[in-house]
Amino acid sequence: MTNNVSSKIKNISTLEYKEKEFEYWGPTPDEARKIMVNKSHGLRDKRHTLKDAVAKFIKDGINIGIGGFVNTRVPVAIIHEIIRHGAKDLTLSFQSNSICPELLAGAMILDPDRVSIKRVELAWWGYEIIGIAPMVRYLTTNGMIEMDDYTNYGMSARFKAAAMGIPFIPVRDHGGSDMELINRGKMIECPFSGKNVYLLPACHPDVGIVHTTAADMYGNARIFGAHCTCPEIAMAATYTIMTTEKVIPTENIRSYPNLTEIPYPAVDTVTEVPFGATPGASYGNYWFDMDHLKMFRSLCEDFRKTGNKEGLQKYYDEYIFSCQTFDETLEKIGYKALKDLKDLDGGQPIILT
Amino acid sequence: MSEYTPFEMIAYTGSRVLEDEKIVFVGTGLPIIAAMHAQLTHAPNLYMIYEAGSMAPILEMGMPLSVGDTRAARKACYLKGLCAVFEITQRGYADYAFIGGAQVDMYGNICSTIEGHNYDQPNIRFPGSGGAGAMAANCEKTIAIMALEKRRFVKKLDFVTSIGFGDGAGDYREKAGVMGSGPYRVITNQALFGFDQETKRMKLLEVKPGRTPQDIQDLVDFELIIPPDVKEMAEPTDEDLRLLRDVIDAEGYFLKRVIKK
């Protein structure tokens, strides 16, 4: 980004990159505000099937904000439904994620007329201990998607700014790194201290997708374990699709309102999907399924190395396209595997009453 | 003295560098192992921050395999989200950032985004900054941890992901708008590095027994500062190895890996 104030990054950078003109990759703060103002803000029963929710809100060309963090509380059931539904030219925004963008990228490899990713604004895309994500390597090294790199705090702060209803947020990172040159943030001089500070634009996804520990039928949601950036994403998005491990009575929400991390006006649809983050983890319910993640990752890696799509196609046919709902996917994963994952969580305490 | 692997040496050295009564912001793998070892030995009052949102957890479910692992949230003192933990680094609560990376240069800048000079079509895409860029900017001191290999200790980074001392100018970090004081240690299996206060350049502090400073220079693509008083690195005792192998990483997720040739 060209401006008068900058760090000294150009003294050391060797990077070749295309200068970006600033544009919002999703609704502007004004557009996002207008959509929220025009919604009904009543306590309505928002329970829908996931199929209906996705059909209503997922359109070609939108920005999807993905909740969870790497392998934790990742909204996998929603991603499966989006793949079945189909959506092209997507922008994805998230801090760190593993299987959600990989599943969408794999769907793009198999049939770009059904699912395609145009660009991604992110901090990290990989599986941590399980390895680097093959699909991001494939898509980027072949120049098939545009990337916009931030730090984990940067992306989280961008969602937070949007959730706060402010157009940008000053942060203390990105400056002096190559991210300052290639992302859509901007260095300015602080009008009060006169010192350099980096500004990031708010990120309002068109649709936020999050999986929560428990929620009532209106969308008031509790999250146990790390919140990741789920409250901010849900509140930043113009529409939010939520799956939850368990729908609980509103009286329970009203007994402990301090436990509500996502308030009902931020949520447009709620679907109860136990194990909705599998093969990711959900604190208090189940641990992540390392074997399944490894299996899927190895199919992606095989494709990246050989160009052969057969294994991938088989996976998508088996776990996504031959299933009407996520319950059918879970049946294929099997009771024993799910029970083992539940035991691996160790029964960490969550409050549902 | 038992035989130890390169990763065990890195984890042990990482532990030695950490002090008691401090807060360390850890990345997945060796940083977690080093911090757990420090807690079990000389630094019982050292606490960790995990970037998905956990502060000072009790790791009674075993070693977290990810900084978002539900195990890392167990019995934490404070458990919110990414915004919360990174904001407290900006505020000055975190003493150490403990990060890895693909490449490091003489000023402690680190790359974990791409290999190749073209951002839009790199030779290899790595996962990206994740928390590392923010940790290196705002935790007070940055500790980098990586295997000592010439392809990693480079003259020029392909992409500066995590800020170090930039071009070595005294005001580089200030102009970048970041808060932390910058690179503190670089930990490898064969040497421990620090940084020269004046020039901000990487300086050899300790070498593995049996190696000379020249052996270390041969594995680094830029010129190191080699002071006359380079020490020998301490080696893990049998008890240290027992803690690492049987208590901390009993499954060998990280410590049993081999360094690629």
Side-chain angles (χ1 to χ4, degrees), chain B residues 27-257:
Chain B
T28 297
L30 294 169
I32 295 176
I33 295 173
M36 287 176 83
H37 181 273
Q39 281 183 333
L40 292 169
T41 55
H42 64 279
N45 212 10
L46 169 82
Y47 292 103
M48 288 182 237
I49 292 178
Y50 287 84
E51 67 197 80
S54 143
M55 187 182 199
I58 295 173
L59 302 176
E60 63 185 17
M61 302 284 299
M63 181 183 65
L65 300 186
S66 149
V67 285
D69 194 331
T70 49
R71 290 173 171 191
R74 184 76 167 179
K75 293 190 178 171
C77 288
Y78 181 63
L79 185 56
K80 297 284 179 188
L82 282 96
C83 285
V85 288
F86 282 111
E87 281 156 17
I88 65 180
T89 72
Q90 290 185 165
R91 183 65 186 84
Y93 288 56
D95 300 287
Y96 303 109
F98 213 144
I99 63 179
Q103 301 171 328
V104 62
D105 70 12
M106 71 196 294
Y107 296 113
N109 305 296
I110 292 173
C111 169
S112 52
T113 304
I114 55 171
E115 192 178 294
H117 293 282
N118 185 341
Y119 174 68
D120 302 296
Q121 204 162 338
N123 301 340
I124 300 178
R125 169 79 204 193
F126 301 121
S129 163
M135 289 156 71
N138 293 314
C139 295
E140 185 51 24
K141 294 173 175 173
T142 305
I143 301 168
I145 196 159
M146 57 181 82
L148 185 60
E149 297 171 79
K150 212 159 188 166
R151 65 185 179 120
R152 294 179 180 276
F153 284 67
V154 298
K155 283 200 182 83
K156 274 274 182 197
L157 298 184
D158 291 347
F159 188 105
V160 179
T161 311
S162 301
I163 184 172
F165 292 119
D167 60 359
D171 63 351
Y172 188 90
R173 291 181 65 89
E174 189 190 338
K175 291 284 178 204
V178 304
M179 303 302 283
S181 64
Y184 172 60
R185 293 286 183 268
V186 180
I187 294 165
T188 74
N189 51 315
Q190 300 195 45
L192 174 67
F193 303 97
F195 290 85
D196 179 64
Q197 295 271 354
E198 286 298 304
T199 62
K200 311 289 185 196
R201 280 173 48 198
M202 200 183 291
K203 177 169 84 173
L204 185 60
L205 298 180
E206 299 179 2
V207 296
K208 190 178 160 182
R211 300 286 197 286
T212 66
Q214 189 56 47
D215 295 338
I216 303 304
Q217 178 64 68
D218 290 346
L219 292 168
V220 173
D221 208 27
F222 50 82
E223 196 191 333
L224 288 166
I225 295 179
I226 302 181
D229 58 345
V230 172
K231 296 190 183 67
E232 270 200 350
M233 288 171 90
E235 295 177 294
T237 64
D238 289 346
E239 174 59 8
D240 292 316
L241 292 172
R242 188 190 69 81
L243 288 174
L244 290 170
R245 291 171 188 172
D246 301 342
V247 178
I248 299 168
D249 187 11
E251 308 287 327
Y253 284 115
F254 296 99
L255 294 177
K256 284 193 185 143
R257 287 178 308 165

Side-chain angles (χ1 to χ4, degrees), chain A residues 6-9 11-18 20 69-72 95-96 122-126 128-129 132 136-137 140-143 145 147-153 156-157 160 171-179 182 187 195-197 225-229 232 261 281-283 286-288 290 344-349, chain B residues 27-28 51-54 61 63 65-71 73-75 79-84 86-87 90 105 107 109 112-114 116-135 137-138 156-163 166-172 174-179 253-254:
Chain A
S6 105
S7 71
K8 297 178 167 181
I9 177 62
N11 293 354
I12 54 171
S13 181
T14 56
L15 197 65
E16 296 158 23
Y17 58 99
K18 283 196 290 281
K20 286 184 187 112
F69 178 91
V70 189
N71 299 331
T72 281
Q95 16 78 356
S96 290
L122 84 169
W124 207 81
W125 180 344
E128 294 198 72
I129 186 180
I132 290 178
V136 67
R137 295 195 132 175
T140 51
T141 55
N142 288 296
I145 53 170
M147 303 290 277
D148 202 30
D149 271 277
Y150 300 83
T151 68
N152 268 333
Y153 179 57
S156 297
K160 182 174 191 168
V171 293
R172 294 304 204 162
D173 54 1
H174 303 86
S177 81
D178 274 307
M179 286 181 279
I182 52 84
M187 185 73 86
K195 292 188 168 179
N196 285 0
V197 64
H227 296 169
C228 311
T229 312
E232 291 86 353
E261 299 296 343
S282 178
Y283 181 96
Y286 46 92
W287 209 45
F288 66 92
M290 178 130 37
L344 280 168
D345 172 74
Q348 311 193 61
Chain B
T28 297
E51 67 197 80
S54 143
M61 302 284 299
M63 181 183 65
L65 300 186
S66 149
V67 285
D69 194 331
T70 49
R71 290 173 171 191
R74 184 76 167 179
K75 293 190 178 171
L79 185 56
K80 297 284 179 188
L82 282 96
C83 285
F86 282 111
E87 281 156 17
Q90 290 185 165
D105 70 12
Y107 296 113
N109 305 296
S112 52
T113 304
I114 55 171
H117 293 282
N118 185 341
Y119 174 68
D120 302 296
Q121 204 162 338
N123 301 340
I124 300 178
R125 169 79 204 193
F126 301 121
S129 163
M135 289 156 71
N138 293 314
K156 274 274 182 197
L157 298 184
D158 291 347
F159 188 105
V160 179
T161 311
S162 301
I163 184 172
D167 60 359
D171 63 351
Y172 188 90
E174 189 190 338
K175 291 284 178 204
V178 304
M179 303 302 283
Y253 284 115
F254 296 99

Side-chain angles (χ1 to χ4, degrees), chain A residues 308-320:
Chain A
N308 183 349
K309 300 176 189 171
E310 230 172 273
L312 266 188
Q313 185 69 56
K314 232 175 125 186
Y315 180 91
Y316 280 76
D317 287 343
E318 167 86 3
Y319 291 102
I320 301 178

